[in-house]
Amino acid sequence: MQGDGDGWVTCAQGHRHWGRYGAAGLLIRAADAVVLQHRAPWSHHGDTWGLLGGARDSHETVGTAALREAAEEAGIGPDSVRLTGVHTADHGRWSYTTVLAEAVGPLRPASVNPESVEVRWQPVDAVDRLPLHPGFAATWPMLRAAYPPPHLVVDAANVVGSRPDGWWHRRLSAAQALHDQLAVFARAGLGPWSSPLREGVERLSSGIAPESWPVANRIVGLSWIYPRVTMVVEGQARHIAAGSTVEVVRAVGSGDDAIVGVVRAHPDSLVVTADQKLRRRVGGLGADVVGPQWLRARLDVSSTQPTERPRQ
Ligand SMILES: [Zn+2]
């Protein structure tokens, strides 16, 4: 119930913490800045910089709690960010979960309650020079490295074509169905972390083993990830309806050229296609590739799960 998480607890390591059901915070990241809160002097570890966040209530998921706190403390609405990952520091009997997010448009945080002196974007490079809340200071090096989030680029024509299909109007409906499944997948995320993104990934450019896939290295330590998803459509499939969860690139000319364009902007993408020529092109730019069956298996799993995870 509302507010039932308020209270002090002593963790297994002997610290005193706020939050009977643990606490959660939101780390909003842009390419070179993060949103931080300058905590009020009277608060626990006052006058330090840390995350927007606070005690979880018993009924809340970590995502719900972190987003509620960001709204209460900085007026940040849930639609202005996209979740990218979850990291939990478990102290025993108490845990702090950092929900990682990225802004989906211009975002102007502001201090809207007395718990903060200030809430603002801080340059990533300046964070280490600030007086940090000790909990945030301990996790910041790992959180800093977990950006950008994994980026999946889907060759829609190839993935749709991987299942028997005949008519052009069915191509449109099949692409729409794929988009809708990808939207569920992007919101549901992947985890608990057991290298689901790495299985089946082929490194074409340099022969480096999948274990050293750079995107995977960046998400080590996260218990849950929400990849960015870009779907490239061509021909009739350009007319699919799309929301804001999946970025849809509607190729005017060649779909392959459009995919190469996306990869140029995001060289460490994971591209989903079975097209050998395209695989060589994106592999040459540094992307990893995986086949449509890999994606189908993930989509079939995520479509059977509730979209808001994890609870932890
Ligand atoms: Zn502790």
Side-chain angles (χ1 to χ4, degrees), residues 11-17 91 94:
C11 75
Q13 298 171 25
H15 318 127
R16 219 165 136 254
H17 297 286
H91 292 207
W94 185 86

Side-chain angles (χ1 to χ4, degrees), residues 126-233:
V127 172
D128 286 327
R129 296 196 292 273
L130 297 169
L132 299 180
H133 181 282
F136 176 58
T139 51
W140 167 241
M142 187 263 132
L143 301 172
R144 176 180 184 161
Y147 185 90
H151 189 166
L152 205 61
V153 181
V154 180
D155 178 353
N158 189 268
V159 173
V160 165
S162 70
R163 281 191 179 170
D165 167 275
W167 305 92
W168 67 267
H169 58 273
R170 282 181 41 210
R171 291 226 170 247
L172 175 57
S173 62
Q176 185 69 58
L178 175 61
H179 167 275
D180 297 348
Q181 277 191 299
L182 285 169
V184 172
F185 169 74
R187 282 194 301 270
L190 284 166
W193 185 245
S194 56
S195 70
L197 265 179
R198 280 184 278 180
E199 290 164 34
V201 171
E202 295 171 38
R203 181 107 198 152
L204 295 185
S205 51
S206 59
I208 295 171
E211 290 74 36
S212 58
W213 186 35
V215 174
N217 284 349
R218 269 209 304 279
I219 48 188
V220 166
L222 299 188
S223 57
W224 205 268
I225 58 166
Y226 303 86
R228 290 177 180 162
V229 179
T230 298
M231 176 181 182
V232 179
V233 290

